[in-house]
Amino acid sequence: RPWTMRQYAGFGTARESNARYRQLIAHGTTGLSVAFDLPTQMGHDSDAPIASGEIGKVGVAIDSVEDMRELFDGIPLDRVSTSMTINAPAAVLLLLYQLVAEEGGVTGDQLSGTIQNDVLKEYIARGTYIFPPAPSLRLVADTFRYCRAEIPKWNTISISGYHMAEAGASPAQEIAFTLSNGIEYVRTALAAGMAVDDFAPRLSFFFVSRTTLLEEVAKFRAARRMWARLMKEDFGARDPRSLMLRFHTQTAGVQLTAQQPEVNLVRVAVQGLAAVLGGTQSLHTNSFDEALALPTDTSARLALRTQQVLAYETDVTATVDPFAGSYAVESMTDDLEAAATELMVYIDELGGAVAAIEHGFQKGEIERNAYRIAQETDAGERIVVGVNRFRLDEEAPYEPLRVDPAIEARQAARLATLRAGRDRTAVTAALTALRQTAEGTGNVLYPMREALRARATVGEVCQTLREVWGSYLPTEGAETRGHRPPLREG
């Protein structure tokens, strides 16, 4: 069967995003993917001073169960698979989703989807972390245990190379740093007392797809082969599903250009084809105008149509592995695996992914590669159509989608109404129970769920955990010392 066509969307208020989801479903998308705004990703309520100016800008603002209810109004959660791009507060947003589903009569065992929940790559490439690594990993392990018991069909983590690639990582670095983070999550779950085959089948991955089609196909093949070997030989997995590297792909946003944006339609088609030929389980194709602003309704529909043409008008789905036996791809796969393995060995010598993060290793490697790419582009050695070659003297005008700045005041008003109308005593008691569990060793998702049910806000829940676990402050200028493996180009 074709991959899941999962278009990433979300902006403004829950009501506006709900309208976009309904449009995507009507146009034939087979899975939803939620983009949250920056305050939500950082665990702040929309009326927090630090959130000013960012409400609804890069995703939807979700402050409480009431917002989540509006976000999925009229959408059958027992029949739609939902992915949520959320990391540090992933458990909070998952529980809000579960509560809304329960209100509609949908039980946890009927829900399917994915939370990104990959905080390690936040320390490396994105920066939307909240807590230090140790409690963050505890929260990941608690989520694994909770979902096994309560939401068994849910993918509990999407271990993401995408954001590192967007920051400048090469294909070999993308593989190495992603799988090294995956190893850290597996070790964390094992240390928490879980058996590998109890959680490994629900691990998933997330990669970029660039315009270098053959190299991307080789990258996906190398990652699958390496992960299967790691799970079998290093962790003793026996369930065949534990060996499977199931992954979602998004086309390369960093390769989109503001100049001649319609050319991005061609880039995205090639990138989407690379993902399909590489065996992706689900795919998001970027809209051609995303280098300029949030996608319009028209551009979002065209992005989905790109996938539908690949699925239904080409013959790439006629065989499971169209590149099987290709000398070029097999050779590139071997080369990428060797380069990624070298990096992973060095990370292991540093003490694992978290220790390497604290040394600044992955971040430094990515920045060096990004700088090299920028130099090559500026020098014209790396051709970017419309930017450093085949330019136009004058660009056509474009009217972007704009987020209404009044959203911020409306969200603040909604929060004021929520706080005035809820049982303050029940909220305080629920947050106290959460604090006590966080101070101990119990699974924090159970008291967290009850706090959210009592209409505690995302910010209140995250602040409670901040007060117990602290906030992460990166070490400035951290660098590895001594030998570093040579930078792999490509």
Side-chain angles (χ1 to χ4, degrees):
R1 60 184 175 86
W3 59 94
T4 300
M5 298 178 194
R6 189 184 299 283
Q7 289 299 101
Y8 183 56
F11 62 95
T13 64
R15 185 176 300 278
E16 289 174 294
S17 293
N18 175 266
R20 175 63 63 86
Y21 295 157
R22 287 170 177 263
Q23 288 172 348
L24 287 169
I25 290 170
H27 292 318
T29 191
T30 52
L32 297 177
S33 183
V34 183
F36 296 96
D37 72 356
L38 191 57
T40 305
Q41 293 181 50
M42 299 293 290
H44 296 296
D45 286 334
S46 294
D47 60 355
I50 197 173
S52 180
E54 292 293 340
I55 308 306
K57 290 290 181 66
V58 298
V60 61
I62 298 294
D63 292 313
S64 71
V65 68
E66 295 191 358
D67 288 331
M68 188 67 84
R69 185 184 302 123
E70 193 168 72
L71 182 65
F72 289 101
D73 181 46
I75 295 174
L77 300 186
D78 56 338
R79 300 200 300 273
V80 171
S81 171
T82 302
S83 173
M84 292 187 274
T85 302
I86 194 74
N87 294 287
V92 184
L93 276 299
L94 172 61
L95 292 171
L96 289 175
Y97 187 83
Q98 183 188 15
L99 290 172
V100 168
E102 286 179 355
E103 292 174 359
V106 178
T107 57
D109 60 356
Q110 294 176 289
L111 295 176
S112 63
T114 304
I115 43 173
Q116 198 161 99
N117 199 26
D118 175 11
V119 74
L120 292 181
K121 64 93 173 51
E122 298 296 327
Y123 304 122
I124 297 170
R126 273 192 88 235
T128 62
Y129 42 71
I130 299 176
F131 316 112
S136 294
L137 288 172
R138 171 190 169 179
L139 190 53
V140 169
D142 283 356
T143 304
F144 287 0
R145 284 198 296 264
Y146 179 87
C147 287
R148 177 167 171 76
E150 307 288 341
I151 318 177
K153 292 192 291 185
W154 200 267
N155 297 320
T156 51
I157 195 167
S158 178
I159 307 164
S160 303
Y162 181 87
H163 309 88
M164 294 184 280
E166 290 284 276
S170 69
Q173 290 170 344
E174 184 185 0
I175 297 170
F177 299 160
T178 304
L179 298 193
S180 291
N181 287 349
I183 290 169
E184 197 77 48
Y185 292 125
V186 172
R187 287 173 177 166
T188 298
L190 294 175
M194 299 183 72
V196 65
D197 287 325
D198 285 347
F199 65 87
R202 297 255 60 97
L203 302 179
S204 64
F205 291 79
F206 176 23
F207 294 110
V208 78
S209 187
R210 304 173 182 85
T211 51
T212 45
L213 188 147
L214 296 181
E215 186 175 38
E216 292 301 281
V217 172
K219 179 189 74 180
F220 298 134
R221 296 169 75 92
R224 266 197 302 270
R225 190 162 74 189
M226 293 171 71
W227 185 249
R229 187 181 303 120
L230 278 166
M231 294 305 294
K232 184 176 182 178
E233 296 179 2
D234 291 15
F235 295 111
R238 295 290 177 264
D239 187 336
R241 296 174 303 160
S242 298
L243 312 185
M244 294 169 62
L245 186 141
R246 298 172 302 115
F247 65 97
H248 170 72
T249 308
Q250 181 171 339
T251 56
V254 75
Q255 291 188 320
L256 301 180
T257 64
Q259 300 92 331
Q260 302 180 46
E262 64 278 5
V263 178
N264 293 328
L265 284 164
V266 182
R267 292 187 178 102
V268 169
V270 173
Q271 294 163 358
L273 180 61
V276 171
L277 293 173
T280 193
Q281 275 69 57
S282 70
L283 177 62
H284 164 92
T285 35
N286 289 325
S287 299
F288 75 88
D289 52 357
E290 287 191 61
L292 297 163
L294 288 171
T296 63
D297 290 346
T298 299
S299 64
R301 183 173 65 250
L302 280 170
L304 176 60
R305 293 289 183 256
T306 302
Q307 293 201 50
Q308 291 166 336
V309 168
L310 290 173
Y312 304 117
E313 292 191 20
T314 77
D315 59 355
V316 297
T317 57
T319 180
V320 170
D321 189 2
F323 271 105
S326 162
Y327 170 78
V329 169
E330 295 292 353
S331 177
M332 293 174 77
T333 301
D334 291 341
D335 290 345
L336 279 170
E337 180 174 356
T341 298
E342 185 177 331
L343 286 165
M344 291 177 70
V345 167
Y346 187 69
I347 289 171
D348 199 49
E349 289 173 354
L350 287 173
V354 171
I357 288 167
E358 291 170 347
H359 279 83
F361 173 67
Q362 300 98 319
K363 188 171 184 289
E365 290 290 292
I366 291 169
E367 287 172 351
R368 277 184 282 272
N369 198 61
Y371 182 59
R372 178 183 63 82
I373 292 170
Q375 285 182 308
E376 291 175 357
T377 303
D378 290 345
E381 298 168 9
R382 182 182 292 260
I383 296 171
V384 182
V385 173
V387 176
N388 61 9
R389 188 81 66 86
F390 314 114
R391 290 177 289 196
L392 295 177
D393 294 331
E394 186 176 338
E395 295 283 343
Y398 172 79
E399 183 58 38
L401 176 71
R402 301 186 189 279
V403 175
D404 184 356
I407 284 172
E408 191 165 330
R410 292 201 296 269
Q411 278 297 111
R414 281 174 62 86
L415 276 167
T417 301
L418 171 79
R419 293 188 180 114
R422 67 190 183 181
D423 185 337
R424 190 175 306 175
T425 302
V427 173
T428 301
L431 291 173
T432 299
L434 173 61
R435 178 190 303 273
Q436 291 170 344
T437 304
E439 290 170 341
T441 59
N443 191 321
V444 296
L445 269 74
Y446 289 97
M448 189 186 294
R449 182 182 64 189
E450 297 315 305
L452 294 167
R453 194 193 305 275
R455 298 161 83 195
T457 67
V458 171
E460 289 165 345
V461 167
C462 290
Q463 182 58 29
T464 299
L465 295 179
R466 277 190 189 93
E467 292 168 2
V468 178
W469 292 342
S471 298
Y472 178 69
L473 297 174
T475 303
E476 292 297 328
E479 289 289 342
T480 50
R481 293 167 177 81
H483 171 70
R484 181 182 62 79
L487 184 67
R488 295 283 179 166
E489 297 189 357

